[in-house]
Coordinates of all heavy atoms in Angstrom, one line a residue:
M3 N -8.3 5.0 -37.3 CA -7.2 4.2 -37.8 C -6.4 5.0 -38.6 O -6.7 5.7 -39.5 CB -7.7 2.9 -38.6 CG -6.6 2.1 -39.2 SD -7.3 0.6 -39.9 CE -6.5 -0.6 -39.1
P4 N -5.0 5.0 -38.3 CA -4.0 5.8 -39.0 C -3.7 5.4 -40.4 O -3.2 6.3 -41.2 CB -2.8 5.9 -38.1 CG -2.9 4.6 -37.2 CD -4.4 4.3 -37.2
L5 N -4.0 4.2 -40.8 CA -3.7 3.7 -42.1 C -4.8 2.9 -42.6 O -5.3 2.0 -41.9 CB -2.4 3.0 -42.1 CG -1.8 2.5 -43.4 CD1 -0.3 2.5 -43.3 CD2 -2.3 1.1 -43.7
S6 N -5.3 3.1 -43.9 CA -6.3 2.3 -44.5 C -5.9 2.1 -45.9 O -5.2 2.8 -46.6 CB -7.7 2.9 -44.3 OG -7.8 4.1 -45.0
T7 N -6.4 1.0 -46.5 CA -6.2 0.6 -47.8 C -7.5 0.4 -48.6 O -8.5 0.0 -48.0 CB -5.2 -0.6 -48.0 OG1 -6.0 -1.7 -47.4 CG2 -4.0 -0.4 -47.3
S8 N -7.4 0.6 -49.9 CA -8.5 0.3 -50.8 C -8.0 0.0 -52.2 O -6.8 0.3 -52.5 CB -9.5 1.4 -50.8 OG -8.9 2.6 -51.4
G9 N -8.8 -0.7 -53.0 CA -8.5 -0.9 -54.4 C -8.3 -2.4 -54.8 O -8.5 -3.2 -53.8
P10 N -8.2 -2.6 -56.0 CA -8.1 -1.6 -57.1 C -9.5 -1.0 -57.3 O -10.5 -1.6 -57.3 CB -7.5 -2.2 -58.3 CG -7.9 -3.7 -58.1 CD -8.0 -3.9 -56.7
G11 N -9.5 0.4 -57.4 CA -10.8 1.1 -57.6 C -11.1 1.2 -59.1 O -10.4 0.6 -60.0
P12 N -12.2 2.0 -59.4 CA -12.6 2.2 -60.8 C -11.5 2.8 -61.8 O -11.6 2.5 -62.9 CB -13.7 3.1 -60.7 CG -13.8 3.6 -59.4 CD -13.0 2.7 -58.5
E13 N -10.6 3.5 -61.2 CA -9.5 4.1 -62.0 C -8.3 3.2 -62.0 O -7.1 3.7 -62.2 CB -9.2 5.5 -61.6 CG -10.4 6.4 -61.9 CD -10.2 7.9 -61.5 OE1 -8.9 8.2 -61.5 OE2 -11.1 8.6 -61.4
N14 N -8.4 1.9 -61.5 CA -7.3 0.9 -61.5 C -6.2 1.5 -60.4 O -5.1 1.3 -60.6 CB -6.6 0.9 -62.8 CG -6.5 -0.7 -63.1 OD1 -7.0 -1.5 -62.4 ND2 -5.8 -1.0 -64.2
E15 N -6.7 2.1 -59.3 CA -5.9 2.6 -58.3 C -5.9 1.8 -57.0 O -7.0 1.3 -56.6 CB -6.2 4.1 -57.9 CG -5.9 5.0 -59.0 CD -6.3 6.4 -58.4 OE1 -7.1 6.5 -57.4 OE2 -5.8 7.4 -59.0
Y16 N -4.8 1.5 -56.4 CA -4.6 1.0 -55.0 C -4.3 2.3 -54.3 O -3.5 3.0 -54.6 CB -3.5 0.0 -54.9 CG -3.7 -1.3 -55.5 CD1 -3.2 -1.8 -56.7 CD2 -4.5 -2.2 -54.9 CE1 -3.4 -3.1 -57.2 CE2 -4.8 -3.6 -55.3 CZ -4.1 -3.9 -56.5 OH -4.4 -5.2 -57.0
V17 N -5.0 2.4 -53.1 CA -4.8 3.6 -52.3 C -4.4 3.3 -50.9 O -5.1 2.4 -50.3 CB -6.0 4.5 -52.4 CG1 -5.8 5.8 -51.5 CG2 -6.3 4.8 -53.7
I18 N -3.4 3.8 -50.4 CA -3.0 3.8 -48.9 C -3.3 5.2 -48.4 O -2.7 6.2 -48.9 CB -1.6 3.4 -48.6 CG1 -1.4 2.0 -49.2 CG2 -1.3 3.4 -47.2 CD1 0.1 1.5 -49.1
S19 N -4.2 5.4 -47.5 CA -4.5 6.6 -46.9 C -3.9 6.7 -45.5 O -4.0 5.8 -44.7 CB -6.0 6.8 -46.8 OG -6.6 6.8 -48.0
I20 N -3.2 7.8 -45.2 CA -2.5 8.0 -44.0 C -3.2 9.2 -43.2 O -3.4 10.2 -43.8 CB -1.1 8.4 -44.1 CG1 -0.4 7.4 -45.0 CG2 -0.4 8.5 -42.7 CD1 -0.2 6.0 -44.5
S21 N -3.7 8.9 -42.0 CA -4.2 10.0 -41.2 C -3.4 10.2 -40.0 O -2.8 9.2 -39.4 CB -5.7 9.7 -40.9 OG -5.8 8.6 -40.1
G22 N -3.3 11.5 -39.5 CA -2.4 11.7 -38.3 C -1.0 11.9 -38.8 O -0.6 12.5 -39.7
D23 N -0.1 11.0 -38.1 CA 1.4 11.1 -38.3 C 1.9 9.9 -39.2 O 1.5 8.8 -39.0 CB 2.1 11.1 -36.9 CG 1.8 12.2 -36.1 OD1 1.3 13.2 -36.6 OD2 2.1 12.1 -34.9
F24 N 2.7 10.3 -40.1 CA 3.4 9.3 -40.9 C 4.8 9.3 -40.4 O 5.7 10.0 -40.8 CB 3.4 9.8 -42.4 CG 3.8 8.6 -43.4 CD1 3.3 7.3 -43.3 CD2 4.7 8.9 -44.4 CE1 3.8 6.3 -44.2 CE2 5.1 8.0 -45.3 CZ 4.7 6.7 -45.2
D25 N 5.0 8.3 -39.5 CA 6.3 8.3 -38.8 C 6.7 6.8 -38.5 O 6.1 5.9 -39.0 CB 6.3 9.2 -37.5 CG 5.2 8.7 -36.6 OD1 4.6 7.6 -36.6 OD2 4.9 9.4 -35.5
F26 N 7.7 6.6 -37.7 CA 8.3 5.3 -37.3 C 7.2 4.3 -36.9 O 7.3 3.1 -37.2 CB 9.3 5.4 -36.3 CG 9.9 4.1 -35.9 CD1 10.9 3.6 -36.8 CD2 9.7 3.4 -34.9 CE1 11.5 2.4 -36.5 CE2 10.2 2.2 -34.5 CZ 11.2 1.7 -35.4
N27 N 6.1 4.8 -36.3 CA 5.1 3.8 -35.8 C 4.3 3.1 -36.9 O 3.6 2.2 -36.6 CB 4.1 4.6 -34.9 CG 4.7 5.2 -33.6 OD1 5.5 4.4 -33.0 ND2 4.5 6.4 -33.2
L28 N 4.4 3.7 -38.1 CA 3.6 3.1 -39.2 C 4.5 2.3 -40.2 O 4.0 1.8 -41.2 CB 3.0 4.2 -40.1 CG 1.8 4.9 -39.4 CD1 1.2 5.9 -40.4 CD2 0.7 3.8 -39.0
V29 N 5.7 2.0 -39.8 CA 6.6 1.2 -40.7 C 6.1 -0.1 -41.1 O 5.9 -0.4 -42.2 CB 8.1 1.2 -40.2 CG1 8.9 0.2 -41.0 CG2 8.8 2.5 -40.0
E30 N 5.8 -0.9 -40.1 CA 5.3 -2.3 -40.3 C 4.0 -2.2 -41.0 O 3.8 -3.0 -42.0 CB 5.3 -3.0 -39.0 CG 5.0 -4.5 -39.2 CD 5.2 -5.3 -38.0 OE1 6.0 -5.0 -37.1 OE2 4.3 -6.3 -37.8
P31 N 3.0 -1.5 -40.5 CA 1.7 -1.5 -41.3 C 1.8 -1.0 -42.7 O 1.0 -1.5 -43.6 CB 0.8 -0.6 -40.4 CG 1.4 -0.4 -39.1 CD 2.9 -0.7 -39.3
F32 N 2.6 0.0 -42.9 CA 2.7 0.6 -44.3 C 3.4 -0.5 -45.2 O 2.8 -0.7 -46.3 CB 3.6 1.8 -44.3 CG 3.7 2.5 -45.5 CD1 2.7 3.3 -46.0 CD2 4.9 2.5 -46.3 CE1 2.7 4.0 -47.3 CE2 5.0 3.0 -47.5 CZ 3.9 3.8 -48.0
V33 N 4.4 -1.2 -44.8 CA 5.0 -2.2 -45.6 C 4.1 -3.3 -45.9 O 3.9 -3.8 -47.1 CB 6.3 -2.7 -44.9 CG1 6.9 -3.9 -45.8 CG2 7.4 -1.6 -45.0
E34 N 3.3 -3.8 -44.8 CA 2.3 -4.8 -44.9 C 1.2 -4.4 -46.0 O 0.8 -5.1 -46.8 CB 1.7 -5.2 -43.7 CG 2.6 -5.9 -42.8 CD 2.0 -6.2 -41.4 OE1 0.9 -5.7 -41.1 OE2 2.8 -6.8 -40.6
A35 N 0.9 -3.1 -46.0 CA -0.2 -2.6 -46.9 C 0.3 -2.7 -48.3 O -0.4 -3.2 -49.2 CB -0.5 -1.2 -46.5
Y36 N 1.4 -2.1 -48.6 CA 1.8 -2.1 -50.0 C 2.3 -3.4 -50.6 O 2.2 -3.7 -51.8 CB 2.8 -1.0 -50.3 CG 4.2 -1.1 -49.9 CD1 5.1 -2.0 -50.4 CD2 4.7 -0.2 -48.9 CE1 6.4 -2.2 -50.0 CE2 6.1 -0.3 -48.5 CZ 6.9 -1.3 -49.0 OH 8.2 -1.3 -48.6
E37 N 2.7 -4.3 -49.8 CA 3.2 -5.6 -50.2 C 2.0 -6.4 -50.8 O 2.2 -7.4 -51.5 CB 3.9 -6.4 -49.1 CG 5.3 -5.9 -49.0 CD 6.1 -6.7 -47.9 OE1 5.5 -7.3 -47.1 OE2 7.4 -6.6 -48.0
Q38 N 0.8 -6.1 -50.4 CA -0.4 -6.9 -51.0 C -0.8 -6.3 -52.3 O -1.6 -6.9 -52.9 CB -1.5 -6.8 -50.0 CG -2.0 -5.4 -49.7 CD -3.1 -5.3 -48.8 OE1 -3.9 -6.3 -48.6 NE2 -3.3 -4.3 -48.0
F39 N -0.3 -5.2 -52.7 CA -0.7 -4.6 -54.1 C 0.2 -5.2 -55.2 O 1.3 -5.6 -55.0 CB -0.5 -3.1 -54.1 CG -1.3 -2.3 -53.1 CD1 -0.9 -1.0 -52.7 CD2 -2.3 -2.8 -52.5 CE1 -1.6 -0.3 -51.9 CE2 -3.1 -2.1 -51.5 CZ -2.7 -0.8 -51.2
Q40 N -0.5 -5.2 -56.4 CA 0.2 -5.5 -57.6 C 0.4 -4.2 -58.3 O -0.5 -3.4 -58.5 CB -0.7 -6.4 -58.4 CG -1.0 -7.8 -57.8 CD -2.0 -8.6 -58.6 OE1 -2.4 -8.2 -59.6 NE2 -2.1 -9.8 -58.2
S41 N 1.5 -4.0 -58.9 CA 1.9 -2.7 -59.6 C 1.6 -2.8 -61.0 O 1.3 -1.8 -61.7 CB 3.3 -2.2 -59.3 OG 4.2 -3.0 -59.9
S42 N 1.7 -4.0 -61.6 CA 1.6 -4.1 -63.0 C 0.1 -3.7 -63.5 O -0.9 -4.2 -63.1 CB 1.8 -5.5 -63.4 OG 1.7 -5.7 -64.8
G43 N 0.1 -2.5 -64.3 CA -1.1 -2.1 -64.9 C -1.9 -1.2 -63.8 O -3.1 -0.9 -64.2
H44 N -1.5 -1.0 -62.6 CA -2.1 -0.3 -61.7 C -1.3 0.9 -61.2 O -0.2 1.1 -61.3 CB -2.4 -1.2 -60.4 CG -3.3 -2.4 -60.6 ND1 -2.8 -3.5 -61.0 CD2 -4.6 -2.5 -60.6 CE1 -3.9 -4.4 -61.2 NE2 -4.9 -3.7 -60.9
T45 N -2.1 1.9 -60.6 CA -1.5 3.1 -60.1 C -1.6 2.9 -58.6 O -2.5 2.4 -58.0 CB -2.4 4.3 -60.5 OG1 -2.3 4.5 -61.8 CG2 -1.8 5.6 -59.8
I46 N -0.5 3.2 -57.9 CA -0.4 3.2 -56.4 C -0.5 4.5 -55.9 O 0.3 5.5 -56.3 CB 0.8 2.4 -56.0 CG1 0.8 1.0 -56.5 CG2 0.9 2.5 -54.4 CD1 2.0 0.3 -56.3
V47 N -1.4 4.9 -55.0 CA -1.6 6.3 -54.6 C -1.4 6.2 -53.1 O -2.0 5.4 -52.3 CB -3.0 6.8 -54.8 CG1 -3.2 8.3 -54.3 CG2 -3.3 6.9 -56.3
I48 N -0.6 7.1 -52.6 CA -0.4 7.3 -51.1 C -1.1 8.6 -50.8 O -0.7 9.8 -51.3 CB 1.1 7.4 -50.7 CG1 1.8 6.3 -51.2 CG2 1.1 7.5 -49.1 CD1 1.3 4.9 -50.8
D49 N -2.2 8.6 -50.1 CA -3.0 9.7 -49.9 C -2.7 10.3 -48.6 O -3.0 9.8 -47.5 CB -4.5 9.2 -49.9 CG -5.5 10.4 -49.8 OD1 -5.1 11.5 -49.5 OD2 -6.8 10.1 -50.1
F50 N -2.1 11.5 -48.6 CA -1.7 12.3 -47.4 C -2.7 13.3 -47.1 O -2.3 14.4 -46.3 CB -0.3 12.9 -47.6 CG 0.8 11.9 -47.7 CD1 1.5 11.7 -48.9 CD2 1.1 11.1 -46.6 CE1 2.6 10.8 -49.0 CE2 2.2 10.2 -46.6 CZ 2.9 10.0 -47.8
R51 N -3.8 13.4 -47.6 CA -4.7 14.6 -47.4 C -5.2 14.6 -45.9 O -5.5 15.7 -45.4 CB -5.9 14.4 -48.3 CG -5.6 14.7 -49.8 CD -6.7 14.6 -50.6 NE -7.2 13.2 -50.7 CZ -8.2 12.7 -51.5 NH1 -8.8 13.6 -52.3 NH2 -8.5 11.4 -51.5
E52 N -5.1 13.6 -45.2 CA -5.4 13.7 -43.8 C -4.2 13.6 -42.8 O -4.2 13.4 -41.7 CB -6.4 12.5 -43.4 CG -7.7 12.6 -44.2 CD -8.5 13.8 -43.7 OE1 -8.6 14.1 -42.5 OE2 -9.2 14.4 -44.6
T53 N -3.0 13.7 -43.5 CA -1.7 13.5 -42.7 C -1.4 14.8 -42.1 O -1.4 15.9 -42.8 CB -0.6 13.0 -43.7 OG1 -1.0 11.8 -44.2 CG2 0.7 12.8 -42.9
E54 N -1.1 14.9 -40.9 CA -0.7 16.1 -40.2 C 0.8 16.3 -40.1 O 1.3 17.4 -39.9 CB -1.3 16.2 -38.8 CG -2.9 16.1 -38.9 CD -3.5 15.9 -37.5 OE1 -2.8 15.9 -36.5 OE2 -4.8 15.6 -37.5
F55 N 1.5 15.2 -40.1 CA 2.9 15.3 -39.7 C 3.7 14.2 -40.5 O 3.2 13.0 -40.6 CB 3.2 15.2 -38.2 CG 4.7 15.1 -37.9 CD1 5.6 16.2 -37.8 CD2 5.2 13.8 -37.5 CE1 6.8 16.0 -37.5 CE2 6.6 13.6 -37.2 CZ 7.4 14.8 -37.2
M56 N 4.8 14.4 -41.0 CA 5.8 13.4 -41.6 C 7.1 13.6 -41.2 O 7.7 14.8 -41.1 CB 5.7 13.5 -43.1 CG 6.5 12.5 -43.8 SD 6.7 12.7 -45.6 CE 5.1 12.4 -46.1
D57 N 7.9 12.6 -40.8 CA 9.3 12.7 -40.4 C 10.2 11.9 -41.4 O 9.7 11.4 -42.4 CB 9.5 12.4 -38.9 CG 9.3 10.9 -38.6 OD1 9.1 10.0 -39.6 OD2 9.3 10.5 -37.5
S58 N 11.4 11.8 -41.1 CA 12.4 11.2 -42.1 C 12.1 9.7 -42.1 O 12.3 9.1 -43.2 CB 13.8 11.4 -41.5 OG 14.0 10.8 -40.2
S59 N 11.5 9.1 -41.2 CA 11.1 7.7 -41.4 C 10.0 7.5 -42.4 O 9.9 6.6 -43.2 CB 10.7 6.9 -40.0 OG 9.8 7.6 -39.4
G60 N 9.1 8.5 -42.5 CA 8.1 8.6 -43.5 C 8.7 8.6 -44.9 O 8.3 7.9 -45.8
L61 N 9.7 9.5 -45.0 CA 10.4 9.6 -46.3 C 11.1 8.3 -46.6 O 11.1 7.8 -47.8 CB 11.5 10.7 -46.2 CG 10.9 12.1 -46.1 CD1 12.0 13.2 -45.9 CD2 10.0 12.5 -47.2
G62 N 11.7 7.7 -45.6 CA 12.3 6.3 -45.8 C 11.4 5.3 -46.3 O 11.7 4.4 -47.2
M63 N 10.2 5.3 -45.7 CA 9.1 4.3 -46.1 C 8.8 4.6 -47.6 O 8.5 3.6 -48.3 CB 7.9 4.5 -45.3 CG 8.1 3.9 -43.9 SD 6.6 3.9 -42.9 CE 6.7 5.5 -42.0
L64 N 8.8 5.8 -48.1 CA 8.4 6.1 -49.5 C 9.5 5.6 -50.4 O 9.2 5.0 -51.5 CB 8.1 7.5 -49.6 CG 6.9 8.1 -49.0 CD1 6.8 9.6 -49.1 CD2 5.7 7.5 -49.5
I65 N 10.8 5.7 -50.0 CA 11.9 5.2 -50.7 C 11.8 3.7 -50.8 O 12.0 3.1 -51.9 CB 13.3 5.6 -50.1 CG1 13.5 7.1 -50.2 CG2 14.4 4.9 -50.8 CD1 13.5 7.6 -51.6
K66 N 11.5 3.0 -49.7 CA 11.3 1.5 -49.8 C 10.2 1.2 -50.7 O 10.3 0.2 -51.4 CB 11.0 1.0 -48.4 CG 12.3 1.0 -47.5 CD 12.0 0.4 -46.1 CE 11.8 -1.2 -46.3 NZ 11.9 -1.8 -45.0
L67 N 9.1 1.9 -50.7 CA 8.0 1.6 -51.6 C 8.4 1.7 -53.0 O 8.2 0.9 -53.9 CB 6.9 2.6 -51.3 CG 5.7 2.7 -52.3 CD1 4.8 1.5 -52.1 CD2 4.9 4.0 -52.1
R68 N 9.2 2.8 -53.4 CA 9.7 2.9 -54.7 C 10.7 1.9 -55.1 O 10.5 1.2 -56.2 CB 10.4 4.3 -54.8 CG 11.2 4.5 -56.1 CD 10.5 4.4 -57.4 NE 9.5 5.4 -57.6 CZ 8.5 5.4 -58.5 NH1 8.3 4.2 -59.1 NH2 7.6 6.3 -58.6
N69 N 11.5 1.5 -54.2 CA 12.4 0.4 -54.5 C 11.7 -1.0 -54.7 O 12.1 -1.8 -55.5 CB 13.4 0.2 -53.3 CG 14.5 1.3 -53.3 OD1 14.6 2.0 -54.4 ND2 15.1 1.5 -52.2
H70 N 10.6 -1.2 -53.9 CA 9.9 -2.4 -54.0 C 9.2 -2.6 -55.4 O 9.2 -3.7 -55.9 CB 8.8 -2.5 -52.9 CG 7.9 -3.7 -52.9 ND1 8.3 -4.9 -52.3 CD2 6.7 -3.9 -53.3 CE1 7.4 -5.8 -52.5 NE2 6.3 -5.1 -53.1
F71 N 8.6 -1.5 -55.9 CA 7.9 -1.6 -57.2 C 8.7 -1.3 -58.4 O 8.3 -1.5 -59.5 CB 6.6 -0.8 -57.1 CG 5.5 -1.3 -56.2 CD1 5.2 -0.7 -55.0 CD2 4.9 -2.5 -56.6 CE1 4.3 -1.2 -54.2 CE2 3.9 -3.0 -55.8 CZ 3.6 -2.4 -54.6
G72 N 9.9 -0.6 -58.1 CA 10.8 -0.3 -59.2 C 10.5 1.1 -59.9 O 9.5 1.8 -59.6
P73 N 11.5 1.6 -60.6 CA 11.4 3.0 -61.1 C 10.3 3.3 -62.1 O 9.9 4.4 -62.3 CB 12.8 3.2 -61.7 CG 13.2 1.7 -62.1 CD 12.6 0.9 -61.1
D74 N 9.7 2.2 -62.7 CA 8.7 2.4 -63.8 C 7.3 2.4 -63.2 O 6.3 2.7 -63.9 CB 8.8 1.4 -64.9 CG 10.2 1.7 -65.6 OD1 10.7 2.8 -65.7 OD2 10.8 0.6 -66.1
A75 N 7.2 2.0 -62.0 CA 5.8 1.9 -61.3 C 5.1 3.3 -61.2 O 5.8 4.3 -61.0 CB 5.8 1.3 -60.0
D76 N 3.9 3.3 -61.5 CA 3.1 4.6 -61.3 C 2.7 4.8 -60.0 O 1.6 4.3 -59.5 CB 1.9 4.6 -62.3 CG 1.1 5.8 -62.4 OD1 1.5 6.9 -61.7 OD2 0.0 5.9 -63.0
I77 N 3.4 5.6 -59.2 CA 3.2 5.9 -57.7 C 3.0 7.4 -57.6 O 3.8 8.2 -58.1 CB 4.4 5.5 -56.9 CG1 4.6 3.9 -57.1 CG2 4.1 5.7 -55.5 CD1 5.9 3.4 -56.4
R78 N 1.8 7.7 -57.0 CA 1.4 9.1 -56.9 C 1.2 9.4 -55.4 O 0.8 8.6 -54.6 CB 0.1 9.4 -57.6 CG 0.3 9.1 -59.0 CD -1.0 9.1 -59.8 NE -0.7 8.6 -61.2 CZ -1.3 9.2 -62.2 NH1 -2.2 10.1 -62.1 NH2 -1.1 8.7 -63.4
L79 N 1.7 10.6 -55.0 CA 1.4 11.1 -53.7 C 0.5 12.2 -53.8 O 0.6 13.2 -54.4 CB 2.8 11.6 -53.1 CG 4.0 10.7 -53.2 CD1 5.2 11.4 -52.6 CD2 3.7 9.4 -52.5
R80 N -0.6 12.1 -53.0 CA -1.7 13.1 -52.9 C -1.5 13.7 -51.6 O -1.6 13.2 -50.5 CB -3.1 12.5 -53.0 CG -3.3 12.0 -54.4 CD -4.9 11.6 -54.6 NE -5.0 11.1 -55.9 CZ -5.7 10.1 -56.2 NH1 -6.4 9.5 -55.3 NH2 -5.8 9.7 -57.5
T81 N -1.5 15.1 -51.6 CA -1.4 15.9 -50.4 C -2.1 17.2 -50.5 O -2.1 17.8 -51.5 CB 0.1 16.0 -49.9 OG1 0.0 16.7 -48.6 CG2 0.9 16.8 -50.9
A82 N -2.7 17.6 -49.4 CA -3.3 18.9 -49.3 C -2.7 19.8 -48.2 O -2.9 20.9 -48.1 CB -4.8 18.8 -49.1
N83 N -1.8 19.1 -47.4 CA -1.2 19.8 -46.2 C 0.1 20.4 -46.7 O 1.1 19.8 -47.2 CB -0.8 18.7 -45.2 CG -0.2 19.2 -44.0 OD1 0.6 20.1 -44.0 ND2 -0.5 18.6 -42.8
P84 N 0.1 21.7 -46.5 CA 1.4 22.6 -47.0 C 2.7 22.0 -46.3 O 3.7 22.0 -47.0 CB 1.0 24.0 -46.6 CG -0.4 24.1 -46.3 CD -0.8 22.7 -45.9
Q85 N 2.6 21.6 -45.0 CA 3.9 21.1 -44.4 C 4.3 19.9 -45.1 O 5.5 19.7 -45.3 CB 3.6 20.9 -42.9 CG 3.4 22.2 -42.1 CD 3.2 21.9 -40.6 OE1 2.3 21.0 -40.3 NE2 3.8 22.7 -39.8
V86 N 3.4 18.9 -45.4 CA 3.8 17.7 -45.9 C 4.4 17.9 -47.4 O 5.4 17.4 -47.7 CB 2.6 16.6 -45.9 CG1 3.0 15.4 -46.8 CG2 2.3 16.2 -44.6
M87 N 3.7 18.8 -48.1 CA 4.1 19.1 -49.4 C 5.5 19.7 -49.4 O 6.3 19.5 -50.2 CB 3.1 20.1 -50.1 CG 3.5 20.5 -51.4 SD 3.3 19.0 -52.4 CE 3.6 19.7 -54.0
N88 N 5.8 20.6 -48.4 CA 7.1 21.3 -48.3 C 8.1 20.2 -48.0 O 9.2 20.3 -48.6 CB 7.0 22.3 -47.1 CG 8.3 23.2 -47.1 OD1 8.8 23.6 -48.1 ND2 8.7 23.5 -45.9
I89 N 7.9 19.3 -47.1 CA 8.9 18.2 -46.9 C 9.2 17.5 -48.1 O 10.3 17.1 -48.4 CB 8.3 17.3 -45.7 CG1 8.4 18.0 -44.3 CG2 9.1 16.0 -45.6 CD1 7.5 17.3 -43.3
L90 N 8.2 17.1 -48.8 CA 8.3 16.3 -50.1 C 9.2 17.1 -51.1 O 10.1 16.5 -51.8 CB 7.0 15.9 -50.7 CG 6.2 14.8 -49.8 CD1 4.8 14.7 -50.3 CD2 6.9 13.5 -49.7
E91 N 8.8 18.3 -51.2 CA 9.7 19.2 -52.2 C 11.1 19.3 -51.7 O 12.0 19.4 -52.6 CB 8.9 20.5 -52.3 CG 7.7 20.4 -53.2 CD 6.9 21.8 -53.2 OE1 7.3 22.7 -52.4 OE2 6.0 21.9 -54.0
I92 N 11.4 19.7 -50.4 CA 12.7 19.8 -50.0 C 13.5 18.5 -50.2 O 14.7 18.6 -50.6 CB 12.7 20.2 -48.5 CG1 12.2 21.6 -48.3 CG2 14.0 20.0 -47.8 CD1 11.9 22.1 -46.9
A93 N 12.9 17.4 -50.0 CA 13.6 16.1 -50.2 C 13.6 15.8 -51.7 O 14.2 14.7 -52.0 CB 12.9 15.0 -49.4
K94 N 13.1 16.6 -52.5 CA 13.1 16.3 -54.0 C 12.3 15.1 -54.4 O 12.8 14.5 -55.4 CB 14.5 16.4 -54.6 CG 15.3 17.7 -54.3 CD 16.4 17.9 -55.2 CE 17.1 19.2 -54.9 NZ 16.4 20.4 -55.3
F95 N 11.3 14.8 -53.6 CA 10.5 13.6 -54.0 C 9.7 13.8 -55.3 O 9.3 12.8 -55.8 CB 9.6 13.2 -52.8 CG 10.4 12.2 -51.8 CD1 11.7 12.5 -51.4 CD2 9.8 11.2 -51.4 CE1 12.3 11.7 -50.5 CE2 10.4 10.3 -50.5 CZ 11.7 10.6 -50.1
D96 N 9.5 15.1 -55.6 CA 8.8 15.2 -56.9 C 9.7 14.7 -58.1 O 9.1 14.6 -59.2 CB 8.6 16.8 -57.1 CG 9.8 17.7 -57.0 OD1 10.8 17.3 -56.3 OD2 9.8 18.7 -57.6
E97 N 10.9 14.4 -57.9 CA 11.7 13.7 -58.9 C 11.5 12.2 -59.1 O 11.9 11.6 -60.0 CB 13.2 14.1 -58.7 CG 13.5 15.5 -58.9 CD 14.9 15.9 -58.5 OE1 15.8 15.0 -58.3 OE2 15.3 17.1 -58.4
Q98 N 11.1 11.6 -58.0 CA 10.8 10.2 -58.0 C 9.3 9.7 -58.0 O 9.0 8.6 -58.3 CB 11.4 9.6 -56.7 CG 12.9 9.8 -56.6 CD 13.5 9.1 -55.4 OE1 13.1 8.0 -55.1 NE2 14.3 9.8 -54.8
F99 N 8.5 10.7 -57.7 CA 7.0 10.4 -57.6 C 6.2 11.5 -58.2 O 6.6 12.6 -58.3 CB 6.6 10.3 -56.1 CG 7.3 9.3 -55.3 CD1 8.4 9.7 -54.5 CD2 6.8 8.0 -55.2 CE1 9.0 8.7 -53.7 CE2 7.5 7.1 -54.5 CZ 8.6 7.4 -53.7
K100 N 5.1 11.1 -58.7 CA 4.1 12.2 -59.2 C 3.4 12.7 -57.9 O 2.8 11.9 -57.2 CB 3.2 11.6 -60.2 CG 3.8 11.2 -61.4 CD 2.7 10.4 -62.3 CE 3.5 9.9 -63.5 NZ 2.6 9.1 -64.3
I101 N 3.5 14.0 -57.7 CA 2.8 14.6 -56.5 C 1.6 15.4 -57.0 O 1.6 16.2 -57.9 CB 3.7 15.5 -55.8 CG1 4.9 14.7 -55.3 CG2 3.0 16.2 -54.6 CD1 6.0 15.5 -54.5
E102 N 0.4 15.0 -56.5 CA -0.9 15.6 -56.8 C -1.4 16.6 -55.7 O -1.2 16.4 -54.6 CB -1.9 14.6 -57.1 CG -1.5 13.6 -58.1 CD -2.5 12.5 -58.3 OE1 -3.3 12.2 -57.4 OE2 -2.5 11.9 -59.3

């Protein structure tokens, strides 16, 4: 499954894990996933450790996520893939999200 959710966990985190491609095909499942989360007092983590590819629609989904929860929400992006990290840095997403 390309998208899975969990939480809140022991560290008060809701997690959306993306495997494979983070692209247009995940728009609807991604929105449905984060709309079930509560941000108040929780951390929202998007786990890209299993993500192989991200395109501009993936970046757009992250902007929609930020807008949904507001500028003060604790949203973190976890990535181990150098390509995904490079895309996030070029788009200056490190200014809007905590990248781990």
